[in-house]
Amino acid sequence: MKVVEEVQGDDEMCRTIEVAVVEPKVTKLLPNGNNFDANGEELYIPPLNFSMVDNGIFRSGFPDTANFAFLKTLGLRSIVYLCPEPYPEANGQFLKSNGIELFQCGIEGCKEPFVNIPEDTIREALKVVLDRKNHPLLIHCKSGKHRTGCVVGCLRKLQRWCLSSVFDEYQRFAAAKTRVSDQRFMEMFDISGMKNLPISFSSSKR
């Protein structure tokens, strides 16, 4: 992940980020269905739209059982789950067996033009993300595009990113499904009440 900074105007800082979106590789597995190649070597398959946000913070789409071995390598302490549906039993068991705490901040998966993004829920999720005691942490929704994109976009505003950079990162994941309503929400999101929260990630210090 490469961060490029440009100074605009007086002291306004504009940050852009080159994000590597990791798509799961299609790999031929052994007949038993486990994540091993033909030589018996274990394969690590990241979830859809997986990427690092900052030190100790990751994002992705919904992990399934094929992704569990990869998630174990992250040493996660917490997962911020942005869907309102109950967490699947297999995923819950994985969290329990690996000592990972689940924070559910459910947001309905609506489509434009009938979009209602609950600001209080976004703030609740951000408080979990900003607490270093919860790191390493994974933020995910269903596809890792819209709900996850809004939470990460609001985090970037707290990190003093300019809007063009916030939108650029959002669009890298949403691609053709970019929503104007999501971008409007991020633009209007008021960070003034959260400025007292500690932000000590790498890109906020640059």
Side-chain angles (χ1 to χ4, degrees):
M1 180 173 66
K2 180 180 179 183
V3 177
V4 181
E5 297 182 353
E6 301 174 356
V7 178
Q8 293 184 342
D10 298 329
D11 295 326
E12 183 182 358
M13 186 69 72
C14 179
R15 293 182 173 86
T16 59
I17 186 170
E18 296 181 5
V19 180
V21 180
V22 183
E23 298 284 355
K25 293 177 63 177
V26 178
T27 309
K28 183 177 180 180
L29 303 180
L30 292 180
N32 61 12
N34 293 326
N35 296 337
F36 294 90
D37 63 15
N39 297 319
E41 296 289 334
E42 187 172 13
L43 302 171
Y44 295 127
I45 305 176
L48 179 71
N49 279 330
F50 175 84
S51 183
M52 180 177 180
V53 177
D54 211 317
N55 287 341
I57 304 175
F58 306 92
R59 63 178 290 171
S60 76
F62 209 113
D64 60 27
T65 55
N67 309 132
F68 289 171
F70 172 79
L71 294 182
K72 287 184 69 172
T73 68
L74 303 178
L76 296 174
R77 288 184 182 175
S78 311
I79 283 182
V80 177
Y81 172 48
L82 300 175
C83 301
E85 295 80 15
Y87 217 48
E89 183 177 351
N91 293 61
Q93 185 58 46
F94 171 76
L95 267 58
K96 183 177 179 180
S97 61
N98 288 277
I100 302 172
E101 186 172 2
L102 178 67
F103 295 89
Q104 184 168 7
C105 304
I107 301 172
E108 293 290 343
C110 302
K111 295 183 178 181
E112 292 182 309
F114 306 104
V115 177
N116 178 28
I117 303 173
E119 184 172 328
D120 289 346
T121 307
I122 296 291
R123 292 183 184 278
E124 179 185 350
L126 284 173
K127 288 178 180 178
V128 176
V129 172
L130 291 171
D131 190 344
R132 290 179 63 88
K133 296 193 299 293
N134 297 323
H135 296 181
L137 171 149
L138 174 69
I139 309 166
H140 82 80
C141 52
K142 184 177 180 180
S143 62
K145 295 178 180 180
H146 303 113
R147 287 168 280 195
T148 298
C150 284
V151 170
V152 173
C154 292
L155 172 64
R156 297 309 192 192
K157 289 191 69 175
L158 283 165
Q159 293 179 305
R160 306 300 300 168
W161 282 32
C162 63
L163 275 176
S164 61
S165 298
V166 173
F167 293 163
D168 179 65
E169 182 180 31
Y170 169 85
Q171 291 164 6
R172 288 174 185 268
F173 291 90
K177 294 188 177 182
T178 292
R179 293 176 180 170
V180 173
S181 58
D182 286 349
Q183 294 178 97
R184 185 181 300 115
F185 175 84
M186 290 183 280
E187 180 178 4
M188 300 301 294
F189 185 77
D190 183 9
I191 64 172
S192 60
M194 305 187 74
K195 287 183 178 179
N196 61 324
L197 296 174
I199 304 173
S200 55
F201 313 129
S202 60
S203 61
S204 66
K205 291 182 178 180
R206 292 180 179 268

